[in-house]
């Protein structure tokens, strides 16, 4: 099998494009760039593969209509720009895809959509139906309503999580740089890294911050992080520039290919590890730590010695060892105010005294990931 066979053999592809690849520095959508990208996506569809597009650009597209010279710093101003720009962006995609007889479907996601079980299950079903109907989903973070505390932070990580959510065979990250270099690309002597097979291949690599155009949020570090999420879940990643998208998807040796390094993980575990922030924590005794870490057991109230934070059932929390180190993260089944009265007591005792509703685990094994 050739190194790029994983690319040419992919039947479901997630493509992520950054703001700098779609817009001018002034903030408006560049029609020629959008048209060229859609031509590539249509070609992939014509070849029999399904396509999901994760597209930045909503905030950037809203700058010019609002008379803003650059991306605003304040969250409220960013959300106003996103509100104006998202419609313009999707309208442009809709028109361009229609030239190829294809239909666009807008999917706006918040962090809750991929961290709460009922939400991501619904998101998965939505994507499945859209692809079944031949639609090309256009995905973005729901910037208009997302708060600072519940943001993905960048669309590279969002794209990696979406790739896992839709069971993609390939993730393509399109940037304003044609691949991963061993140093800043503009420096003399910087060399392109054609393949990454493990974290060892990234040792000594210096990565930069956000793009020079000033309209995006993600730099090379976020792309490497996204590649790590995807490859660790069995999904290969190609990183290159948008003008080389066609060559990359045709399997030509352009950009950087990150080889899949792991197997597909349960979705909840991926979300917990990469897309959540703990709302609180519980302290475990040594026996509970062994049960969770070594025996893959659920966390019961009997093994908890302390509760910290203000969380509610369904929130992600950290599980701490007696020395305070974080050993796992999981979705808790009780509110923080309920737990103190349950600590150190067996499930049988709790059921007998408080009823069957208290027989459940504090964190079920299926909703827990070791860190």
């Amino acid at each position: 099998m050739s190194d790029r066979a994983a690319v040419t053999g992919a039947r479901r592809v997630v493509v992520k494009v950054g703001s700098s690849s779609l817009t001018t520095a002034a903030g408006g959508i560049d029609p020629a760039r959008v048209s060229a990208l859609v031509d590539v996506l249509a070609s992939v569809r014509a070849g029999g593969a399904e396509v999901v597009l994760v597209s930045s650009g909503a905030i950037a597209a809203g700058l010019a209509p609002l008379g803003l010279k650059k991306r605003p710093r304040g969250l409220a101003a960013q959300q106003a720009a996103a509100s104006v720009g998202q419609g313009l962006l999707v309208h442009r995609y809709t028109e361009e895809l229609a030239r190829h007889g294809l239909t666009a479907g807008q999917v706006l996601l918040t962090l809750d959509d991929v961290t709460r079980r009922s939400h991501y299950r619904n998101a998965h079903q939505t994507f499945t139906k859209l692809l079944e109907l031949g639609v090309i989903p256009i995905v973005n973070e729901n910037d208009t309503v997302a708060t600072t505390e519940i943001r993905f932070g960048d669309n590279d990580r969002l794209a990696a999580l979406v790739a896992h959510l839709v069971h993609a065979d390939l993730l393509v990250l399109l940037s304003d740089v044609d691949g991963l270099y061993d140093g800043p690309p503009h420096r003399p002597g910087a060399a392109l890294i054609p393949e990454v097979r493990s974290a060892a291949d990234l040792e000594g690599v210096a990565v930069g911050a956000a793009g020079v155009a000033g309209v995006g949020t993600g730099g090379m570090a976020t792309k490497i992080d996204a590649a790590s999420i995807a490859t660790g879940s069995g999904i290969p990643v190609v990183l290159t520039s948008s003008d080389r998208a066609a060559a990359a998807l045709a399997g030509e040796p352009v950009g950087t290919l990150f080889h899949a390094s792991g197997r597909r993980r349960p979705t909840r575990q991926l979300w917990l590890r990469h897309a959540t922030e703990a709302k609180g924590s519980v302290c475990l005794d040594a026996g509970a730590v062994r049960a969770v870490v070594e025996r893959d057991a659920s966390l019961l109230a009997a093994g908890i010695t302390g509760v910290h934070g203000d969380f509610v059932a369904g929130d992600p929390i950290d599980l701490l060892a007696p020395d305070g180190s974080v050993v796992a993260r999981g979705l808790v089944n009780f509110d923080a105010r309920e737990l103190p009265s349950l600590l150190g007591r067996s499930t049988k005792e709790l059921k007998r005294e408080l009823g069957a509703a208290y027989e459940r685990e504090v964190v079920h094994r299926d909703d827990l990931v070791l860190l």
Side-chain angles (χ1 to χ4, degrees), residues 2-368:
S2 72
D3 284 336
R4 300 280 171 148
V7 176
T8 54
R11 307 321 297 156
R12 181 170 289 178
V13 181
V14 173
V15 176
K16 183 267 175 179
V17 62
S19 300
S20 58
S21 299
L22 294 173
T23 59
T24 64
I29 297 172
D30 186 331
R33 287 182 169 190
V34 176
S35 181
L37 174 63
V38 168
D39 287 346
V40 174
L41 301 182
S43 177
V44 174
R45 280 285 285 114
E50 297 172 325
V51 178
V52 175
L53 176 65
V54 177
S55 178
S56 301
I59 294 176
L63 300 184
L66 293 176
L68 300 173
K69 297 296 185 185
K70 61 182 180 179
R71 183 188 179 96
R73 291 184 179 273
L75 180 62
Q78 289 179 12
Q79 291 175 324
S83 177
V84 173
Q86 186 64 38
L88 296 171
L89 187 65
V90 172
H91 177 65
R92 176 63 63 182
Y93 278 126
T94 300
E95 286 191 329
E96 294 294 340
L97 284 166
R99 291 191 294 110
H100 298 275
L102 296 171
T103 302
Q106 179 175 250
V107 181
L108 297 177
L109 296 174
T110 66
L111 202 52
D112 264 357
D113 295 319
V114 293
T115 53
R116 293 190 178 276
R117 184 187 303 187
S118 60
H119 288 225
Y120 74 66
R121 190 173 286 166
N122 182 60
H124 174 75
Q125 292 170 344
T126 299
F127 277 112
T128 299
K129 179 55 69 174
L130 286 169
L131 293 170
E132 183 184 300
L133 293 170
V135 172
I136 293 187
I138 311 294
V139 186
N140 196 1
E141 180 168 7
N142 196 346
D143 292 302
T144 302
V145 297
T147 64
T148 305
E149 291 76 19
I150 62 165
R151 293 177 66 81
F152 289 97
D154 62 82
N155 273 355
D156 296 309
R157 186 164 60 144
L158 170 61
L161 295 169
V162 167
H164 189 278
L165 176 68
V166 303
H167 298 177
D169 304 309
L170 175 69
L171 170 62
V172 178
L173 299 174
L174 300 178
S175 172
D176 51 0
V177 182
D178 64 348
L180 176 64
Y181 283 77
D182 58 6
H186 58 274
R187 279 193 192 163
L192 178 74
I193 301 173
E195 293 183 45
V196 175
R197 294 184 180 275
S198 70
D201 294 337
L202 297 174
E203 290 178 6
V205 174
V207 296
V212 293
V215 293
T217 57
M220 193 56 68
T222 69
K223 290 166 179 56
I224 291 175
D225 181 45
S228 174
I229 294 171
T231 57
S233 303
I235 304 169
V237 177
V238 175
L239 167 64
T240 192
S241 54
S242 54
D243 60 350
R244 298 193 178 190
L249 285 159
E252 294 180 26
V254 300
T256 302
L257 171 64
F258 295 79
H259 292 267
S261 58
R263 57 181 175 78
R264 182 172 294 279
R265 292 181 177 145
T267 306
R268 283 192 295 284
Q269 292 190 9
L270 193 80
W271 301 157
L272 282 169
R273 181 183 294 275
H274 295 289
T276 61
E277 291 186 10
K279 303 294 187 184
S281 61
V282 293
C283 300
L284 281 56
D285 62 29
V289 171
R290 285 195 297 274
V292 168
V293 175
E294 299 172 15
R295 300 206 307 272
D296 289 339
S298 297
L299 176 62
L300 305 178
I304 300 176
T305 60
V307 180
H308 306 284
D310 183 19
F311 51 83
V312 297
D315 279 345
I317 62 169
D318 282 341
L319 280 54
L320 309 181
D323 65 0
S325 62
V326 180
V327 296
R329 181 170 296 163
L331 301 180
V332 67
N333 287 323
F334 293 91
D335 294 352
R337 58 181 174 75
E338 292 180 280
L339 279 176
S341 64
L342 312 181
L343 303 191
R345 303 167 71 180
S346 72
T347 50
K348 286 184 179 179
E349 180 186 348
L350 292 172
K351 179 184 179 183
R352 185 173 64 250
E353 293 187 15
L354 301 174
Y358 287 86
E359 194 178 15
R360 65 191 186 275
E361 305 87 348
V362 175
V363 179
H364 192 277
R365 179 66 227 181
D366 290 346
D367 292 329
L368 185 152

